[in-house]
Amino acid sequence: MINNQPRLDPRIEELLEYLYLREHEWAEDPAAPLPADFDPELLQRAGDQGFLDAPAAGARLTERGCATGRDVVRRHRLGECLLRDVLGARIEDIHEDACRIEHIIQHGLDEKTCILLGHPKICPHGKPIPPGACCRRAHEEDLREIKPLCEGKPQEAGVVAYLSTRENREIQKLMAMGILPGVQVKLIQRYPSYVFQMGYSQFTIDRDLAEKIYVHWQIPAG
């Protein structure tokens, strides 16, 4: 869902991201003094907006600041997955590029990105991606109704739930056919190849690719 919340100053987001990592992932003492190059005015602004508790005395995150910092970390790591898995960026470049993307994929775009990527749990560097509301909703779905396209029955129809692949070539091929989460599909045949229909177009794929398309089978077609 897209919301109309105003964007934060990217410098404040980066500050909250740093403090969240320091308090929740790094081994160093979260109460230790901040590096000397932190802008005191930026700390004061973050404190005035309710993100920091006593910014002049160690700059600990408030509950609101912790939630926002966690969200920035999530967006950053989703951005890394997007760059690697969909755009084919080199692993050595994705951290710096994700530092810019994390300020863009928000206001609902983070959920759309997460759904597109199949709700990844770790980033390309092996660090955990904090789950979002979309991940919790997906977990709560009746999983008996969500299964790969290759397990559907001919004439069954449903909606693509997610793509279960991290291979750049496969993702690009599926996206080129228009296979994205939320798109309606109808399975036509299973043998000798898998044929499915989207709108007025039909596509033929092999089992290996059909295993990567998870569908919420919900519209019996007859």
Side-chain angles (χ1 to χ4, degrees):
M1 178 180 296
I2 305 295
N3 62 56
N4 296 315
Q5 293 296 320
R7 294 183 185 272
L8 285 176
D9 183 332
R11 294 179 302 162
I12 290 182
E13 286 197 328
E14 290 167 4
L15 169 64
L16 300 179
E17 178 185 24
Y18 172 89
L19 293 174
Y20 177 86
L21 293 172
R22 186 168 102 146
E23 292 184 15
H24 294 273
E25 294 191 13
W26 298 343
E28 64 184 77
D29 181 5
L34 291 173
D37 59 351
F38 268 79
D39 184 351
E41 182 181 350
L42 191 65
L43 289 170
Q44 187 60 53
R45 285 177 55 201
D48 292 343
Q49 294 179 43
F51 295 118
L52 303 182
D53 182 21
R60 297 296 300 272
L61 291 170
T62 61
E63 183 176 346
R64 182 187 181 202
C66 183
T68 304
R70 177 184 182 278
D71 182 60
V72 180
V73 170
R74 168 175 162 77
R75 285 187 266 127
H76 179 96
R77 292 175 181 172
L78 283 174
E80 289 186 331
C81 290
L82 180 68
L83 287 163
R84 182 196 65 180
D85 298 339
V86 177
L87 302 180
R90 300 186 308 168
I91 188 72
E92 56 266 32
D93 296 332
I94 61 176
H95 175 75
E96 182 178 348
D97 291 339
C99 287
R100 292 186 284 271
I101 288 179
E102 70 188 30
H103 306 300
I104 299 172
I105 54 170
Q106 54 180 303
H107 294 184
L109 293 178
D110 55 330
E111 283 204 354
K112 292 179 183 295
T113 301
C114 189
I115 292 170
L116 171 65
L117 296 170
H119 308 284
K121 294 183 178 180
I122 59 172
C123 76
H125 299 101
K127 298 176 181 177
I129 300 175
C134 62
C135 304
R136 291 188 287 272
R137 289 195 300 269
H139 182 71
E140 292 167 0
E141 286 274 2
D142 184 357
L143 296 180
R144 290 172 299 179
E145 295 181 359
I146 298 180
K147 55 187 178 182
L149 183 70
C150 62
E151 295 182 15
K153 299 176 182 178
Q155 303 308 310
E156 261 191 325
V159 176
V160 176
Y162 59 90
L163 307 180
S164 180
T165 178
R166 295 289 177 271
E167 292 292 331
N168 179 51
R169 177 184 59 82
E170 291 179 337
I171 290 178
Q172 290 182 343
K173 185 174 181 179
L174 292 170
M175 292 180 68
M177 289 187 283
I179 304 174
L180 296 168
V183 171
Q184 290 194 347
V185 297
K186 177 182 176 181
L187 184 62
I188 305 299
Q189 72 176 44
R190 291 165 50 100
Y191 183 84
S193 298
Y194 292 86
V195 179
F196 65 94
Q197 183 170 328
M198 293 191 305
Y200 297 104
S201 301
Q202 291 189 357
F203 301 88
T204 301
I205 57 176
D206 58 21
R207 181 180 177 86
D208 184 58
L209 207 55
E211 289 177 340
K212 310 299 174 53
I213 306 169
Y214 275 72
V215 178
H216 192 171
W217 302 100
Q218 56 184 198
I219 310 173

